[in-house]
Amino acid sequence: MGVPASTTDEELRSIFEAFGDVRGMYTRRKADGVVVVDYYDVRAAASAASTLQGTLMQEQPIHLSFTHPAAADGSLEQGIAQGQITVYNMDPGTTNQHLVWLFSKFGEVQGIHQSPNRPTQKCITFYDSRHAAAALKAMNCAEQLSALPSHLTPQQVAKLQSHTMQRSAL
């Protein structure tokens, strides 16, 4: 990254928070010029990278790149898909348009893709990892509603899910 070691954590946080909510900042290797900034929203990370690439910080150019998300303990985990949830045992006829409609109530959906060789499994990716967490929580809550009659519309199920989530928050 090329961050000068004399840059304070507060200065760094101020710079990077200008692009979006910072989930965490790992400065253990700041003396080597390396800082890892973890955003909730991938769009904020992309904006920071494109805007700050090569800019001078205390007369030293900084270089930014993307990496795998960090675990809660600060270590870098390989293969994490933050902001992504997988829906299993779906009706193979469920359209991506319906899934976007269903999941966009939690936040903006970046994309949906079919799991290879698994027609009943799709991955929904959100721009913001907090939105994926909210959707996952709602899905886990909805498992309690699995005994509902099959004639209910998606709107009726969404209302029932909303009421169940409100009760669980009390």
Side-chain angles (χ1 to χ4, degrees):
M1 185 176 225
V3 173
S6 61
T7 308
T8 67
D9 289 359
E10 291 77 25
E11 288 173 309
L12 289 169
R13 185 168 287 280
S14 175
I15 291 167
F16 288 102
E17 281 183 341
F19 297 94
D21 292 339
V22 172
R23 178 175 175 219
M25 196 170 65
Y26 310 95
T27 58
R28 290 184 189 133
R29 295 194 49 216
K30 186 168 53 170
D32 300 325
V34 178
V35 172
V36 177
V37 179
D38 185 10
Y39 285 97
Y40 288 104
D41 193 314
V42 69
R43 295 170 295 190
S47 179
S50 66
T51 303
L52 297 174
Q53 189 67 264
T55 60
L56 297 178
M57 185 179 286
Q58 297 180 11
E59 299 181 29
Q60 185 174 331
I62 60 171
H63 304 282
L64 294 101
S65 61
F66 287 95
T67 186
H68 293 284
D73 65 1
S75 63
L76 294 180
E77 293 184 21
Q78 299 295 318
I80 292 181
Q82 285 187 343
Q84 187 176 80
I85 60 173
T86 302
V87 181
Y88 299 93
N89 303 321
M90 294 180 48
D91 177 342
T94 303
T95 66
N96 287 356
Q97 181 180 1
H98 179 77
L99 290 172
V100 167
W101 169 83
L102 187 62
F103 285 98
S104 64
K105 70 178 87 180
F106 302 104
E108 193 173 350
V109 174
Q110 182 180 13
I112 296 176
H113 71 272
Q114 181 77 44
S115 296
N117 303 318
R118 296 186 179 155
T120 62
Q121 181 176 319
K122 289 192 179 187
C123 297
I124 294 93
T125 305
F126 291 86
Y127 285 105
D128 191 312
S129 62
R130 295 170 292 193
H131 299 155
L136 182 61
K137 181 178 179 181
M139 282 175 45
N140 289 338
C141 186
E143 286 178 5
Q144 300 168 6
L145 302 174
S146 61
L148 292 173
S150 60
H151 67 278
L152 291 177
T153 67
Q155 293 87 349
Q156 291 169 320
V157 172
K159 276 187 179 181
L160 288 170
Q161 288 172 336
S162 174
H163 291 298
T164 302
M165 286 178 55
Q166 289 171 356
R167 280 192 304 236
S168 68
L170 297 178

